[in-house]
């Protein structure tokens, strides 16, 4: 792991850490490494899947690796994550998909995409470090890079909390793009990602007609 001192130094100083990563390589293995090698409690969230039994299996697997798993249910999960961070804990979030439809617009590989604002908001509100991470396979090994912390913008860059979160999210997305561009074969984005792709799928479902 390159840059792991960015995690350990922050935790050692009593600051929480939001470790944000895209769907690159094996993030479950990375989480297991954190709990077993670093011996640091790790909290994450899991998307509600259907059928419910599939979601239960995902949660059970991650809990067996030593992670605390919260359901992705909006405000309740954010409140719990904020408490963990204010206590100096480690929160890991896969952050390249907007599951709520309320994310911020970022430029991603030359097109507009929506990313969740939650990681940036949590870091800003709790004083935690927002550390983007990249994962990739090197033969049989999983490698990781912890990028420098995304700074909280000053009032000259962002006049409101929402603007600050958006600026931070765009900087986080830029680090994600670097990791994906270097290892595109390891990016597991298995559904339409850019809005234009989702619109094309919707048009195909309607016989080539776009909805009014």
């Amino acid at each position: 792991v390159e840059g792991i001192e960015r995690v350990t130094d922050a935790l050692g100083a009593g600051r929480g850490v939001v470790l944000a990563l895209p769907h690159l390589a094996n993030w479950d293995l990375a989480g297991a490494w954190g709990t077993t090698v670093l011996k640091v409690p790790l909290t994450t969230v899991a998307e509600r899947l259907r059928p419910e039994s599939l979601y239960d299996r995902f949660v059970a697997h991650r809990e067996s690796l030593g992670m605390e798993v919260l359901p992705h249910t909006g405000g309740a999960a954010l409140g719990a994550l904020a408490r963990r961070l204010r206590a100096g804990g480690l929160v890991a979030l896969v952050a390249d998909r907007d599951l709520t439809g309320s994310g911020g617009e970022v430029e991603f590989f030359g097109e507009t995409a929506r990313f969740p604002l939650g990681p940036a908001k949590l870091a800003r509100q709790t004083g935690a470090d927002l550390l983007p991470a990249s994962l990739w396979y090197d033969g049989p090994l999983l490698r990781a890079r912890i990028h420098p912390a995304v700074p909280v913008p000053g009032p000259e860059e962002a006049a409101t909390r929402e603007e600050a979160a958006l600026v931070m999210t765009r900087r986080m997305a830029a680090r994600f793009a670097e990791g994906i561009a270097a290892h595109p074969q390891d990016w597991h984005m298995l559904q339409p990602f850019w809005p234009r792709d989702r619109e094309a799928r919707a048009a195909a479902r309607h016989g080539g007609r776009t909805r009014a």
Side-chain angles (χ1 to χ4, degrees):
V1 179
E2 301 173 20
I4 191 60
E5 70 279 358
R6 295 187 172 112
V7 176
T8 56
D9 287 354
L11 296 176
R15 293 194 308 279
V17 169
V18 179
L19 196 61
L21 57 156
H23 285 79
L24 268 174
N26 190 335
W27 49 94
D28 280 341
L29 178 56
W33 184 88
T35 57
T36 58
V37 178
L38 289 184
K39 301 187 184 304
V40 174
L42 182 151
T43 303
T44 187
V45 299
E47 178 186 359
R48 283 283 187 186
L49 301 173
R50 294 184 182 279
E52 191 76 11
S53 59
L54 179 60
Y55 169 77
D56 291 341
R57 290 184 68 181
F58 268 112
V59 170
H61 171 64
R62 290 169 183 171
E63 289 179 340
S64 74
L65 300 174
M67 305 178 205
E68 178 189 22
V69 183
L70 305 175
H72 188 279
T73 53
L78 285 175
L81 294 173
R83 289 191 293 273
R84 304 296 186 274
L85 292 169
R86 289 192 178 99
L90 174 61
V91 166
L93 300 173
V94 182
D96 57 348
R97 282 182 61 204
D98 175 30
L99 299 178
T100 65
S102 60
E105 289 189 351
V106 306
E107 182 179 321
F108 204 61
F109 291 102
E111 291 196 39
T112 298
R114 283 192 172 273
F115 272 45
L117 298 175
K121 288 183 175 180
L122 283 167
R124 184 185 178 280
Q125 291 168 6
T126 65
D129 286 2
L130 175 58
L131 300 177
S134 301
L135 304 173
W136 69 94
Y137 286 111
D138 180 11
L141 300 178
L142 179 68
R143 298 194 181 276
R145 177 178 295 116
I146 312 299
H147 299 275
V150 175
V152 176
E156 68 282 356
E157 286 187 277
T160 67
R161 288 179 293 181
E162 285 292 323
E163 289 176 0
L166 182 57
V167 169
M168 295 174 72
T169 299
R170 287 172 174 168
R171 289 172 176 164
M172 178 190 75
R175 302 290 79 77
F176 287 0
E178 290 175 7
I180 293 168
H183 307 281
Q185 71 278 6
D186 292 328
W187 190 34
H188 304 298
M189 186 55 63
L190 304 181
Q191 58 277 313
F193 174 76
W194 283 272
R196 188 169 67 172
D197 295 332
R198 292 196 294 271
E199 291 165 4
R201 172 175 282 192
R205 287 174 176 168
H206 290 78
R209 301 187 304 276
T210 56
R211 289 178 290 181

